[in-house]
Amino acid sequence: MNDRRNFSRVDFRVSALLQAEGVAIKGDVTDISLHGLYMETEEKIPVGSPVEVTIYLSSAAEPIVINVKGTVARLVPGGIGCAFDKMDVESFAHLRSIISYQGGDESKVMAEFSEYVVKKMHDE
């Protein structure tokens, strides 16, 4: 299979809630990048479906979360791969910190993001 990922992916296990087509699915994120995630779940949502994902970074009274809107990019036995389309600035900051810390190279993460933004602007 061709691997078209352009972002550093890091192993990162946290709980998440994926909402799509009136369905809410709980699962565990196992890896994440600035552009997407893989979530373990036995539930099925068709590829191409729009989703909203809430990733729980803490379980405090006021939890720290990452909120993203995206699309189901792949469906495999045992999980769903989602590509991120939109996220707020605070969620991006949390995500960047996680990936930089887990991957150990913040400058690489930011260079990947910059290349992505330039490509998106060029494609539009």
Side-chain angles (χ1 to χ4, degrees), residues 16-17 19 32 37 51-57 63-70 84-95:
L17 179 68
Q19 298 176 72
I32 196 162
L37 62 77
V51 295
E52 291 186 23
V53 183
T54 303
I55 303 164
Y56 296 94
L57 302 179
I64 299 171
V65 298
I66 294 173
N67 293 304
V68 297
K69 292 184 180 190
F84 297 156
D85 297 326
K86 294 181 182 179
M87 77 180 77
D88 59 60
V89 173
E90 188 173 322
S91 292
F92 174 77
H94 288 312
L95 188 56

Side-chain angles (χ1 to χ4, degrees), residues 15-79:
S15 296
L17 179 68
L18 186 145
Q19 298 176 72
E21 301 176 347
V23 176
I25 300 170
K26 288 184 178 181
D28 290 323
V29 171
T30 59
D31 69 69
I32 196 162
S33 76
L34 285 176
H35 190 61
L37 62 77
Y38 177 79
M39 186 173 99
E40 290 180 339
T41 180
E42 293 302 321
E43 302 293 327
K44 308 286 186 233
I45 296 176
V47 171
S49 298
V51 295
E52 291 186 23
V53 183
T54 303
I55 303 164
Y56 296 94
L57 302 179
S58 77
S59 58
E62 295 205 20
I64 299 171
V65 298
I66 294 173
N67 293 304
V68 297
K69 292 184 180 190
T71 307
V72 175
R74 64 188 173 105
L75 188 60
V76 297

Side-chain angles (χ1 to χ4, degrees), residues 2 5 10 12 29 36 45 56 80 94 101:
N2 239 357
R5 296 176 181 149
V10 296
F12 192 67
V29 171
I45 296 176
Y56 296 94
I80 296 173
H94 288 312
Y101 179 75

